[in-house]
Amino acid sequence: MGLTTGVRAMVARFIGEGNREAAIHVAQQGYIITAVFTLFLSLIGFFLTVPILRLLGAAPDVIAQGAPYIRIQFVVSIFMTCRMTTDAIMEASGDTMTPMKLTAIYRVFHVILVPFMVYGWWIFPRLETSGAAWTGVASQSIAMTLGLWIMLTGRSRLRLTFKNFRPDPALIWRLVKVSIPASITGMGQSLAQFLVLSFIAPFGTVAVAAHALAQRVDMFVHMPAMAMGMGAGVLAGQNLGAGQPARAQRTAWLAVGIGSASLFL
């Protein structure tokens, strides 16, 4: 998520400048970062899933059910990271409706398919928690494929092309530097959640499950404010690219006000 923040910010900046070729070049480098980071994630998932769960104090039966799920999610995470990068590029270009529609499609598909894969309905095998993971892979791959097709065929505001594609180490490093603050912020929040979870784990599996459900509710409540922040980031980047720093500042403060109000409500 931190890396896509950098891609979103730089694509928006070049869109504001009216430099679509530079925006496409940034998008291309964003996919390179996605591929490298995904390889790193896959290695973590393959070798360290069980040690991580043990470190968190998970019970043996939880590890037995959870490890296959996490391994699948890690090893095939290219579908998720590529989808996130594609969404970030479309949003930065000013097209927020297409990612929303794609999300609705793959979420509905996910919800419908889950019981078939988990419980073994109809012709599907009973895969339990692994079935939930494979359903996620299927839905994310559909969203990724549709998103790339939309971008490559020019059905979004920015038509992606890999013509004259080449790695640009200087730009990649610039993207990484822009992404580092957002990555550290997100990792800090996740680390805090891990610490809280490690305190809850000794109270048993039911307590951990209750905490996980509460986290889902908390995420749902905060989602409007997070979306407002993402939208404000895109508009601020476009305004800065267009040489309108005062308007970018007003956008940021307006987003803070609306986001805070949504949380109070």
Side-chain angles (χ1 to χ4, degrees):
M1 292 177 68
L3 291 172
T4 58
T5 298
V7 174
R8 185 182 289 106
M10 291 189 65
V11 170
R13 187 73 174 259
F14 284 124
I15 289 293
E17 291 179 5
N19 192 343
R20 302 181 75 84
E21 291 185 2
I24 292 171
H25 186 55
V26 170
Q28 293 171 345
Q29 307 310 306
Y31 285 109
I32 293 177
I33 297 175
T34 294
V36 173
F37 182 69
T38 300
L39 175 61
F40 175 68
L41 279 182
S42 297
L43 292 174
I44 289 178
F46 189 79
F47 292 108
L48 297 180
T49 292
V50 173
I52 289 173
L53 290 175
R54 287 175 178 166
L55 182 65
L56 291 174
D61 57 338
V62 175
I63 294 176
Q65 292 287 328
Y69 178 94
I70 296 176
R71 281 200 183 101
I72 293 169
Q73 293 279 45
F74 271 129
V75 172
V76 295
S77 57
I78 183 63
F79 299 112
M80 177 185 69
T81 54
C82 185
R83 178 194 61 78
M84 292 172 63
T85 301
T86 303
D87 286 353
I89 295 167
M90 286 192 284
E91 291 163 356
S93 71
D95 180 7
T96 58
M97 291 299 295
T98 300
M100 184 193 71
K101 292 175 182 177
L102 290 175
T103 299
I105 291 171
Y106 88 80
R107 290 296 184 193
V108 170
F109 175 82
H110 191 173
V111 170
I112 292 174
L113 186 60
V114 159
F116 289 88
M117 297 289 286
V118 171
Y119 300 119
W121 290 358
W122 197 33
I123 61 174
F124 294 91
R126 181 184 176 92
L127 299 177
E128 299 180 354
T129 52
S130 295
W134 284 117
T135 305
V137 172
S139 60
Q140 294 276 357
S141 64
I142 289 173
M144 180 201 72
T145 303
L146 288 175
L148 285 174
W149 175 74
I150 289 170
M151 292 281 291
L152 291 170
T153 55
R155 286 173 168 80
S156 186
R157 291 195 176 186
L158 183 67
R159 180 166 188 168
L160 180 65
T161 175
F162 287 97
K163 183 180 179 181
N164 300 322
F165 172 73
R166 69 188 188 284
D168 187 341
L171 182 57
I172 289 174
W173 176 236
R174 185 180 172 189
L175 275 170
V176 171
K177 286 194 296 183
V178 173
S179 303
I180 284 175
S183 298
I184 292 176
T185 300
M187 291 171 65
Q189 293 173 348
S190 297
L191 180 60
Q193 293 174 4
F194 272 119
L195 290 175
V196 171
L197 186 59
S198 68
F199 296 142
I200 295 173
F203 292 96
T205 301
V206 173
V208 172
H211 173 71
L213 289 173
Q215 288 292 102
R216 293 291 184 180
V217 174
D218 182 72
M219 179 65 70
F220 180 80
V221 171
H222 284 84
M223 195 60 67
M226 293 172 61
M228 189 64 61
M230 291 170 61
V234 169
L235 289 177
Q238 291 183 355
N239 282 317
L240 289 173
Q244 298 284 345
R247 193 163 62 188
Q249 188 177 41
R250 289 199 301 272
T251 299
W253 281 113
L254 183 61
V256 169
I258 296 175
S260 300
S262 70
L263 291 177
F264 277 113
L265 294 176

